[in-house]
Amino acid sequence: MKAPFAECGVTTDSPQIDSLNHSYAVVFFFAIAVLLSGCSVRSMAVGALADAVAKSGDSYAADNDVVFVGLASPFGLKTTEGLLEEVPDHRGLLLSAARGFTQYAYVYIEQPANEIEDFDVQRAYAERARARRMYLRARDYGLRGLEAAHPAFSETVYRDPHQATAVMTRDDVALLYWTAAAWASAISLGKDDPALVADLPAVEALIKRAYVLDESYDHGAIHVFLISYEMSQSGMHQDAAARARAHFQRALELSQGRQAAPYVALAESVMIAEQNRREYEALLQQALIIDIDSRPEWRLANLVMQRRARWLLVHADNVFLE
């Protein structure tokens, strides 16, 4: 007898089935949590469900269909938010929400807004405003996650960000990174909001503390962030481009050159600023030849960044004077 889905090229040993079985488990736990009347048993069931959902985002990373993941993501994000009403201090869920809303805003709101601006400026601006709200939503979940382990953090980070982040440990790196990423992204779309722009010192404190604690986090994610961040501070640092290039090299080392993001980040941040079209195009072409199957766990991220690279190449005339 054939295994289910075998005719479609999916076997019981495949990642698709693992993901499907995981989904069934999540639904099962949810049903248990709803039906059980005993408070302690219900609490245990909700906790188990929260743990499962907090880990479920990893199943998206190896997917090869960006659109399909986009259709599934809102349900997962709302499920996470629903669970956070039950377990508001669950750090795994708060990290999942911070990461998930940041990724969704970038891939499915901000980037499409850039792509439609040529023929629908009004809608593009509306979508960017929506993306900013989503980034702030992600930031708030990240702050809650850090607050859960470090009481009063959300208050202190605005007043004295360096003091607030000094108590962070290696266990906080993921939340530090995603909170900083969400916050910085919101600021980049809200430069007309002085109060939001004034939060930049907090963003810098978060990402620099993450860097100190684990500069190799997620195979170079912090360095990719800092490529762009260094150039945003170019008015304050004369060697900003050199620092950005150093982060680029380190990101390549940590990812073994198998991620498209470092190439795209350097092209967008440094090459446009230097008006170096030749290297800009070479970097983006390099991003496009990354083998998305060489590291399946990076497949979706590479597809997203390759789409960005193609768009940047097509619109190169808009950012280069010659």
Side-chain angles (χ1 to χ4, degrees):
M1 179 178 178
K2 289 185 177 180
F5 307 100
E7 293 181 357
C8 300
V10 180
T11 69
T12 53
D13 296 325
S14 72
Q16 295 98 319
I17 292 301
D18 288 341
S19 178
L20 188 61
N21 288 338
H22 181 81
S23 299
Y24 286 150
V26 169
V27 173
F28 173 75
F29 276 118
F30 182 73
I32 292 294
V34 171
L35 294 175
L36 288 174
S37 57
C39 290
S40 61
V41 179
R42 181 178 183 279
S43 178
M44 290 174 61
V46 171
L49 174 58
D51 291 341
V53 170
K55 298 174 183 176
S56 64
D58 294 342
S59 65
Y60 291 162
D63 207 295
N64 64 0
D65 192 323
V66 178
V67 175
F68 178 70
V69 170
L71 294 172
S73 294
F75 174 79
L77 291 171
K78 290 306 296 180
T79 299
T80 299
E81 288 191 314
L83 283 168
L84 281 168
E85 293 182 5
E86 298 287 335
V87 281
D89 295 328
H90 192 289
R91 295 241 301 169
L93 281 180
L94 290 166
L95 171 59
S96 181
R99 179 178 58 226
F101 278 106
T102 302
Q103 292 173 329
Y104 187 83
Y106 179 78
V107 179
Y108 299 106
I109 306 178
E110 182 181 356
Q111 293 312 311
N114 293 336
E115 293 168 5
I116 65 172
E117 187 170 17
D118 288 345
F119 54 87
D120 196 337
V121 174
Q122 186 174 358
R123 184 182 167 199
Y125 274 83
E127 286 299 288
R128 288 198 187 101
R130 180 172 167 240
R132 180 175 60 182
R133 292 193 297 271
M134 199 72 77
Y135 286 132
L136 292 174
R137 192 169 177 174
R139 176 206 62 183
D140 290 345
Y141 283 123
L143 290 174
R144 279 176 55 184
L146 293 166
E147 173 96 10
H150 306 282
F153 171 78
S154 294
E155 177 185 348
T156 310
V157 72
Y158 289 96
R159 186 176 66 251
D160 189 342
H162 293 289
Q163 177 187 341
T165 56
V167 300
M168 298 294 157
T169 69
R170 195 180 179 94
D171 290 340
D172 299 309
V173 169
L175 276 164
L176 285 167
Y177 169 77
W178 284 107
T179 306
W183 212 339
S185 298
I187 292 171
S188 73
L189 294 179
K191 294 176 182 176
D192 58 342
D193 183 345
L196 187 57
V197 174
D199 292 340
L200 268 173
V203 174
E204 180 172 337
L206 290 171
I207 198 64
K208 288 193 172 180
R209 183 59 178 161
Y211 177 86
V212 168
L213 291 168
D214 184 7
E215 59 88 23
S216 65
Y217 168 72
D218 200 15
H219 302 278
I222 293 172
H223 289 280
V224 174
F225 179 105
L226 288 171
I227 292 170
S228 301
Y229 185 78
E230 293 289 1
M231 292 306 294
S232 74
Q233 302 295 296
S234 59
M236 300 173 62
H237 304 291
Q238 293 184 346
D239 62 342
R243 292 157 66 142
R245 288 177 182 274
H247 286 300
F248 168 72
Q249 290 298 332
R250 182 59 175 149
L252 289 188
E253 291 172 8
L254 291 169
S255 64
Q256 299 179 322
R258 296 183 183 182
Q259 289 188 351
Y263 297 102
V264 176
L266 191 69
E268 283 198 84
S269 301
V270 177
M271 298 312 135
I272 292 177
E274 294 182 346
Q275 287 293 286
N276 186 339
R277 182 165 185 163
R278 181 177 180 180
E279 192 169 353
Y280 173 89
E281 292 179 345
L283 286 164
L284 295 176
Q285 291 293 348
Q286 186 64 40
L288 290 175
I289 64 172
I290 296 290
D291 180 2
I292 63 169
D293 296 319
S294 65
R295 291 291 294 267
E297 68 272 29
W298 298 340
R299 185 180 291 125
L300 188 68
N302 277 330
L303 284 170
V304 168
M305 297 316 297
Q306 287 178 342
R307 173 178 172 176
R308 177 69 177 163
R310 291 188 189 93
W311 185 84
L312 288 168
L313 283 168
V314 169
H315 290 80
D317 288 344
N318 296 342
V319 294
F320 289 96
L321 300 178
E322 294 182 2

